[in-house]
Structures are given as structure tokens and as C-alpha cells.
Amino acid sequence: MSERFRLDNVRVALVRLEEIIISRLIERAQFCQNPMVYEADALGAPLQGLSILGFLLQETERTHAKLRRYTSPDEHPFFSDLPDPVLPSLTYFDNPLEENEINVNAQVRWIYEQEIIPLICCPGDDRQYGSSAVNDVSCLQAISKRVHYGKFVAESKFRDDEAVYRECILSEDRDRLMALITDPDVENAVLQRVRHKARTYCSEISSASTEVLSPDTIVTIYSRWIIPMNKDVQVKYLMQRVSADQPVKDSE
Amino acid sequence: MSERFRLDNVRVALVRLEEIIISRLIERAQFCQNPMVYEADALGAPLQGLSILGFLLQETERTHAKLRRYTSPDEHPFFSDLPDPVLPSLTYFDNPLEENEINVNAQVRWIYEQEIIPLICCPGDDRQYGSSAVNDVSCLQAISKRVHYGKFVAESKFRDDEAVYRECILSEDRDRLMALITDPDVENAVLQRVRHKARTYCSEISSASTEVLSPDTIVTIYSRWIIPMNKDVQVKYLMQRVSADQPVKDSE
């Protein structure tokens, strides 16, 4: 059985997700913004009134749900009403999380469509709707996973300093909780690592291609949205971590 | 309108595909071989008798076909009987290829399942069937695209030296045609570039993870399968390039 959810493996997962997010954003940036891709009901009945991206995302999630993707504690769908898995269910013995229903994908998708696409793609329409949407789904899945990894990060922090966290959560002091989970040195280290990787990847591609996403833009996406949304998930998870928890033990 | 199919842009496309193929192979290599994923009818009716990979690949292609993926001259499906596009059709004004039906995806898939998976993944079963299959689909789509880019490469070579190619094709001398399209210096340059990129990517990840695909293995996949299959597509394309062509002009 895999040990991928062991808390000391969280860093490996986050580092791997950096490669994925950076490479997917670079791929999407080949194409124009193509606002048509995000327009609800642009094609009417054949896409069931959804946008092109919405349709592709929903169809992808329906298929992946059959392969039990969303039973994994690190996966969160953008759509509800997905079909049941056809694979026999898997018990995640190494899942360290408390049961929770936290899913911020509505926000992830809004920020991706409204903020990230205009930042990484040239304005305009190059008619590459399918390619754009396929890359969008990859970007959204990777960013969603990175953001929701906040649950694992928060669980790890909670276990390292349970008494302090418990008190802060019980007093419902979200600001103090946000301060507790924030480590500017770690955040800066992440941003530096992302900048270094983005430079490497962009330079590999720019040897052949003229239009390439700037590494600074990728760092901005991390600092402005990915890290803050991840911290938001940490706070949300912790706020319900204790109420969902066993009563405080006598010894505390 | 995009100029992505202009022949002097072929190199950009091939270089971009290197990043994609390398990163997808590294992602797949996180998981065990998981032979269950490739076993036909392992789950019976719920997957319509297909293997897990076959099911996911077919469902993915059905969705992508609706978004007209396989009307693009650089895309080739693994399945037939796909639904019609729901997007209005696109005219590829910049498509330089002669009409052709060449599709070697049956071979791509066979080599991927039988040869590449055992080479890049640890033996055994870690039950990560869904993650394995999702990464397999990404790998297969990228390798298929790279292999079928042979059509663009061949068209470019044909135009550069039309008389020689025409004579060689009309005499049906496949061996000489293979010799004509082969440039060992270019092949070595590709392998060196792949080795360099694979080293960069693997070292980024191995800072955090212990089990990482070796860069040499990725180079082997290029030299043993991807380049030869691409050349096979070049020869196939050229062999029907002339017969499908206009009659030889007087001036020749």
C-alpha cells in the first residue's frame, strides 16, 4: 500500500505539483485567451448549456469519478452529481485527515477564468478552443490539488502544536489562526523554487519559441492566488478540525 | 488564424512535445506498473469489457472528439467510431499535408503498454489504477502526437528535394527512402536535448523524492521507439504522398 498521504510526504507532493502546474500553465499560454471557451451556453444544447470548458470539465470528471478519483483524500471535483465508481472502493489507511467536506473549487475556477487566463494568455481568439479547454482542465485539476493540499499541511501543523491550535480554534480567532499557520520564510522559499523552475522550463521552450510566459507571471500566480487559497483551506480545515474532533481529553 | 502548422514551426512543436513527454513519463513513473490497468475485461460490464486504460482512453477521446480534437491534422485518435464534433468545423488553411489516413496508434499503444511501462515503473501493484491510467492517457496522447509529427517532417523534406524523393517513392524503394530521411546528426542532437531536459526535470523532483526515473531511460524511449516510429510514419506518409499526388508535371 502506498504511503503517499503520510504527512512527511506532503512536501514531495507539493514539489511534484509545482512541476505540473508550471508546465501546464506554459502549455495553456501558447493559445489566446479565447473568451468563447468560458462563455456559458455559447453552443446551446450540444454542450447542455455549459461553456466549452464547463462541458469538458464535467465530462472529464464523470469519467474520472468512475475510476474513483474523487474518493482519494487529495482529490476534489468541480462538479457534484458525479457517477459512482466502477472500481471497487479503496480504503485509504494512510489518510491522516479528519472527515471534512471542504471544497473551494468554485473559487479556484472563478480565479482561473477571471484572473489567471487574462494574465497568462494574449488577448484575442485563435479558434483553438479544444486545445485551450484541454489545457484548462489540466491546469484546474493541478491548481485545485495544490490548493486543497492545505488540508494535509494544516493537519501536520495541528499535530505539531495541538494545544495552541486547539485553543485558537475553540476561541474562533481566525486572524490568529491565519497568523499561526503563516511562515513567511517557507512562503519565500516556495516562491524562489517556483521562480527557479519556471525560468528553467521557460528557457527550454524559448530556445525554439518566441512567445513564452514570463517566470515572474508564474510566481505572481503562486503569491497572489495559489498560496493564499491554500492558506484559506488550512484555516477552513482547522476551524472544523476541532468541532469535528473528539471532546478535549482530561489531560489537556 | 494560427500558423502552428507552418513547416518552419514544426521544430517548435517537437521541442514543446519533448517537455510534455518527459514530464508525463516522470509523473507516470511515480506509480507501480499496475498490470491490472491494462488487463482487458478486468472489471467486466461496467467498463464495457475494456481495460481500465482502454475505458479511460475511449471516454476521453469521445469527449475530445466532440470538441473537434481529431479534425486537427496533428491529432490522431486511438479509437474509431467517435462522435461528431459539436463545435463548428474549422478549416486548417495552414495545413501543409496531403490528405492521408495514416494512424499508427495501435503500435504506439502496444509499445507503450508492453515495453515502456515495464521500463519506467517498478513492478507490482500499488492500487493507484486511476492515477496510473490518467497519466497513461497523457503519455499516449503526447507520444502519439510526436510520432505522427513525422508527417509534417516528411512533407518538409519532400518539398526541399522533391525530384529525388519523387523518384525514390515511385520506385517503391523503402530502404532508400528510409536512408534519405535519416540524419544521424539531427537524431543525436534530439537525444542530447532530451537527455539535458530529462536531467533537469529529474533533478528538480529528486530534491524531494527518492524514486525518480533515470534520464537515460527517457533517452532510451526516444531512441528505441519514438524516433523510429516517427521515421516509420515519415516513410508511410511519403509512400502515399506521390500516389495521392497530382500527376507529375511536364517540367519534371
Side-chain angles (χ1 to χ4, degrees):
Chain A
M1 191 60 203
S2 145
E3 298 194 323
R4 58 199 295 213
F5 298 124
R6 270 183 34 208
L7 291 174
D8 43 356
N9 287 339
V10 166
R11 189 171 163 268
V12 179
L14 295 182
V15 169
R16 277 192 182 271
L17 279 168
E18 281 163 14
E19 330 291 322
I20 299 176
I21 291 172
I22 294 168
S23 61
R24 302 302 197 271
L25 289 172
I26 291 173
E27 284 168 44
R28 175 62 183 89
Q30 291 175 76
F31 307 106
C32 290
Q33 290 181 19
N34 291 326
M36 172 80 162
V37 169
Y38 312 102
E39 209 171 291
D41 208 20
L43 292 164
L47 300 188
Q48 299 138 29
L50 297 170
S51 66
I52 295 172
L53 172 58
F55 170 77
L56 182 62
L57 191 55
Q58 187 179 52
E59 290 296 306
T60 303
E61 293 203 332
R62 281 179 177 161
T63 305
H64 290 188
K66 291 183 190 167
L67 302 183
R68 71 180 175 209
R69 179 173 189 144
Y70 305 106
T71 66
S72 180
D74 62 342
E75 293 285 355
H76 300 77
F78 287 80
F79 285 85
S80 48
D81 289 330
L82 295 172
D84 290 331
V86 295
L87 292 181
S89 68
L90 206 54
T91 307
Y92 293 93
F93 293 109
D94 58 347
N95 177 15
L97 301 184
E98 294 292 316
E99 202 157 316
N100 70 87
E101 299 289 325
I102 295 158
N103 182 328
V104 299
N105 274 340
Q107 192 192 3
V108 169
R109 186 168 163 197
W110 194 92
I111 285 173
Y112 180 79
E113 293 189 17
Q114 304 294 322
E115 306 276 4
I116 296 179
I117 285 295
L119 199 63
I120 65 173
C121 299
C122 298
D125 183 323
D126 56 19
R127 304 186 67 191
Q128 303 299 317
Y129 306 145
S131 301
S132 300
V134 167
N135 282 306
D136 286 337
V137 168
S138 296
C139 287
L140 282 168
Q141 288 179 328
I143 294 172
S144 165
K145 194 162 182 170
R146 174 63 171 79
V147 165
H148 288 97
Y149 247 89
K151 297 182 184 181
F152 295 89
V153 175
E155 180 65 29
S156 181
K157 290 174 180 170
F158 180 86
R159 291 189 188 183
D160 281 347
D161 205 357
E162 186 164 341
V164 171
Y165 274 98
R166 193 175 285 279
E167 189 237 309
C168 185
I169 295 162
L170 287 172
S171 64
E172 294 190 21
D173 189 344
R174 281 171 181 268
D175 292 343
R176 201 176 136 227
L177 199 52
M178 183 58 88
L180 262 181
I181 61 161
T182 300
D183 184 334
D185 291 343
V186 170
E187 288 180 25
N188 283 331
V190 169
L191 295 179
Q192 278 193 21
R193 206 170 53 213
V194 167
R195 187 186 309 273
H196 171 72
K197 287 181 192 178
R199 274 192 190 141
T200 306
Y201 290 14
C202 291
S203 77
E204 292 289 349
I205 291 173
S206 65
S207 66
S209 184
T210 48
E211 279 178 51
V212 169
L213 192 54
S214 123
D216 286 342
T217 304
I218 297 174
V219 174
T220 300
I221 292 168
Y222 259 81
S223 65
R224 199 176 293 168
W225 297 297
I226 294 180
I227 292 177
M229 282 195 285
N230 176 283
K231 287 164 68 177
D232 177 50
V233 166
Q234 292 186 47
V235 170
K236 282 191 166 72
Y237 175 82
L238 289 168
M239 287 306 293
Q240 61 88 66
R241 170 71 176 78
V242 169
S243 52
D245 203 3
Q246 309 293 327
V248 182
K249 294 186 213 92
D250 280 355
S251 61
E252 284 171 329
Chain B
M1 190 59 204
S2 144
E3 299 194 323
R4 57 199 294 214
F5 297 125
R6 269 182 34 205
L7 291 174
D8 43 356
N9 287 340
V10 166
R11 190 172 161 267
V12 179
L14 295 182
V15 169
R16 277 192 182 271
L17 279 168
E18 281 163 15
E19 330 291 322
I20 298 176
I21 291 172
I22 294 168
S23 62
R24 304 300 197 273
L25 289 172
I26 291 172
E27 284 168 44
R28 175 61 183 88
Q30 290 173 77
F31 307 106
C32 289
Q33 290 181 19
N34 292 324
M36 171 80 161
V37 169
Y38 312 101
E39 209 172 290
D41 208 21
L43 292 163
L47 300 187
Q48 299 138 31
L50 298 170
S51 66
I52 295 172
L53 172 57
F55 171 77
L56 182 62
L57 191 55
Q58 187 180 52
E59 291 295 307
T60 303
E61 294 203 332
R62 282 181 177 158
T63 305
H64 289 189
K66 291 183 191 167
L67 301 183
R68 72 179 173 208
R69 178 172 188 145
Y70 305 107
T71 66
S72 180
D74 62 342
E75 293 285 356
H76 300 77
F78 287 81
F79 285 85
S80 47
D81 290 329
L82 296 172
D84 291 331
V86 296
L87 292 181
S89 68
L90 206 54
T91 307
Y92 293 93
F93 295 109
D94 58 347
N95 177 16
L97 301 184
E98 293 292 315
E99 203 158 314
N100 71 86
E101 298 290 326
I102 295 158
N103 181 328
V104 299
N105 275 340
Q107 191 193 3
V108 169
R109 186 167 163 197
W110 194 92
I111 285 174
Y112 180 79
E113 293 190 16
Q114 304 294 323
E115 307 276 4
I116 296 178
I117 285 296
L119 199 64
I120 65 174
C121 299
C122 297
D125 183 322
D126 57 18
R127 303 187 68 191
Q128 303 299 315
Y129 307 144
S131 301
S132 300
V134 167
N135 282 306
D136 286 335
V137 168
S138 296
C139 288
L140 283 169
Q141 288 179 328
I143 293 172
S144 166
K145 194 163 181 168
R146 175 62 170 79
V147 165
H148 289 97
Y149 247 89
K151 297 182 185 181
F152 294 90
V153 175
E155 180 64 31
S156 180
K157 290 175 180 169
F158 180 85
R159 292 188 188 184
D160 281 348
D161 206 357
E162 186 165 337
V164 172
Y165 274 98
R166 193 175 286 278
E167 188 238 307
C168 184
I169 295 161
L170 287 172
S171 64
E172 294 190 21
D173 190 343
R174 280 172 182 268
D175 293 341
R176 200 175 138 227
L177 200 52
M178 184 57 87
L180 262 183
I181 62 162
T182 299
D183 184 336
D185 289 345
V186 169
E187 287 180 24
N188 283 330
V190 169
L191 295 178
Q192 279 195 22
R193 206 170 54 214
V194 167
R195 186 185 311 273
H196 171 73
K197 287 181 192 177
R199 274 193 189 140
T200 307
Y201 290 15
C202 291
S203 77
E204 293 290 349
I205 290 172
S206 65
S207 65
S209 185
T210 47
E211 278 177 51
V212 169
L213 191 54
S214 122
D216 286 341
T217 304
I218 297 174
V219 174
T220 300
I221 292 168
Y222 259 80
S223 65
R224 199 175 292 169
W225 297 297
I226 294 180
I227 292 177
M229 282 195 284
N230 177 283
K231 288 164 68 177
D232 177 49
V233 166
Q234 291 186 47
V235 170
K236 282 192 166 71
Y237 175 82
L238 289 169
M239 286 307 292
Q240 61 87 67
R241 169 72 175 78
V242 169
S243 52
D245 203 2
Q246 307 295 326
V248 181
K249 294 184 214 94
D250 281 356
S251 62
E252 282 168 338

